[in-house]
Structures are given as C-alpha cells and as structure tokens.
Amino acid sequence: MYRYRCNQCRTTSPPVRTRPEVEAEQDRHRRRAHAGHIPDGEEIQTHTPPPRPGQPTRPSHYVAYAALAAALALILWLRLLA
C-alpha cells in the first residue's frame, strides 16, 4: 500500500493499493494545491497497516504456527493408522 505525503502542506493521502493510484493522487494534489508545481519535500511512502489484534507480527510466529500444525497433523495421522 502507498500514501502520498506533501510536507509543505503537511497532508498525507489515504492509503491506496497500487503505485499508479498514488501517483494519480500526487498529480491531483500538485494541480490543486500547487498549480502543477512540484512542492519541496513531497514523497510517496509505503504504508503497512497496523496488525489486527491477535495477528502475529513477526515471521517467526508463522514458522512456529506451521510447525505446530504439522505436529498436530502427524499425531492425527498416526492415530488413524493405529
């Protein structure tokens, strides 16, 4: 996700999914607020939304969950064979 930031106006656009969308937002802002000129300090930022409650925040959690799921699947498989 991307956001457009104009440091001169001290404004940040809502996040959008693609680079072309944020570039369109950048062009719109330049035309409206700066008569088409490029303001000093503008930037396109990558935006990572905050994690949802209960969502793992580190990749190591994913590995641990995958290992736990594999262990449970193995235990169930062995019980079905017995």
Side-chain angles (χ1 to χ4, degrees):
M1 297 190 75
Y2 299 92
R3 297 186 302 190
Y4 169 70
R5 172 79 181 154
C6 178
N7 288 323
Q8 191 174 37
C9 294
R10 301 183 105 142
T11 185
T12 304
S13 72
V16 295
R17 293 192 182 276
T18 66
R19 183 82 184 194
E21 286 178 296
V22 78
E23 288 170 354
E25 177 63 32
Q26 180 184 40
D27 290 340
R28 246 187 321 275
H29 178 78
R30 285 176 179 175
R31 283 193 310 273
R32 286 187 205 149
H34 304 285
H37 294 241
I38 300 171
D40 291 341
E42 75 169 5
E43 59 184 316
I44 291 179
Q45 304 170 335
T46 55
H47 172 71
T48 304
R52 295 184 308 269
Q55 179 183 8
T57 56
R58 294 189 305 259
S60 61
H61 284 131
Y62 294 115
V63 173
Y65 291 147
L68 180 61
L72 288 173
L74 181 62
I75 290 169
L76 289 173
W77 183 67
L78 290 173
R79 284 195 171 194
L80 286 173
L81 291 178

